[in-house]
Amino acid sequence: FYNGSPHYDAYRLAVEMLADTPIPLCYNGDIISASDPETLSDELPELNHIMIGRGVLMNPDLIGELHHSVPDAPFKERFRAFHDEIYQGYREIMSGDTPTLYKMKDLWNFMGKNKRFPNPDKLLKKIRKAQSCSAYDSVVSELLSCL
């Protein structure tokens, strides 16, 4: 839940310190839209590599958008597939509903920020309150039907 501002001066210092070494430097963070790398390049012209994390959790299409290659399937289907792959993976490795729901509720802190969800707060609150996977499944279906 990082909410700070980027430390461009620290990045520039690292670029300077590593200039004569073969060590690659990667900028991490603040990439949540397809236009962000361009904005970063304006601010940090020496930028060669970026790392994306939370941006993909907020928008599973982000990497496709960066490469101008978003699949043809509707966003709702792509988002559902992204969600279901993570959810099923957790259900397979976690023992019971509680740890699975803990992980998924944490993930929704990011996924719920996707701007395609119209007024998601009420349903996100229901997700946070879900005590069983069946209750969670019902709320997620309701939320995704809004797309």
Side-chain angles (χ1 to χ4, degrees):
F1 305 111
Y2 173 75
N3 289 318
S5 57
H7 300 285
Y8 295 135
D9 291 336
Y11 183 84
R12 287 186 189 99
L13 179 61
V15 168
E16 185 180 312
M17 292 174 67
L18 296 172
D20 296 326
T21 72
I23 300 170
L25 185 61
C26 181
Y27 184 88
N28 181 16
D30 309 312
I31 311 294
I32 59 171
S33 75
S35 63
D36 288 339
E38 186 176 322
T39 303
L40 277 172
S41 291
D42 291 344
E43 185 68 36
L44 302 168
E46 63 278 3
L47 183 66
N48 292 319
H49 306 285
I50 60 172
M51 186 182 315
I52 303 170
R54 290 172 298 202
V56 171
L57 298 178
M58 290 181 214
N59 176 11
D61 283 347
L62 181 57
I63 293 173
E65 291 170 4
L66 288 167
H67 292 285
H68 308 289
S69 64
V70 176
D72 290 334
F75 174 77
K76 180 179 185 174
E77 291 175 20
R78 295 189 312 272
F79 191 91
R80 181 65 177 206
F82 175 77
H83 168 274
D84 289 355
E85 184 172 348
I86 295 169
Y87 182 47
Q88 292 308 320
Y90 280 142
R91 290 195 76 178
E92 288 172 15
I93 63 171
M94 300 290 188
S95 57
D97 287 7
T98 301
T100 299
L101 292 174
Y102 178 80
K103 292 288 192 180
M104 293 308 297
K105 290 173 185 182
D106 199 29
L107 184 59
W108 274 105
N109 287 317
F110 299 103
M111 293 190 313
K113 292 179 183 177
N114 190 296
K115 301 204 185 307
R116 290 184 174 111
F117 288 115
N119 305 314
D121 295 338
K122 181 180 174 187
L123 292 172
L124 290 172
K125 186 175 181 179
K126 283 184 178 182
I127 286 173
R128 287 190 297 274
K129 289 185 171 198
Q131 297 295 313
S132 68
C133 284
S134 61
Y136 171 83
D137 293 340
S138 176
V139 178
V140 168
S141 291
E142 186 178 352
L143 181 60
L144 293 178
S145 72
C146 296
L147 291 176

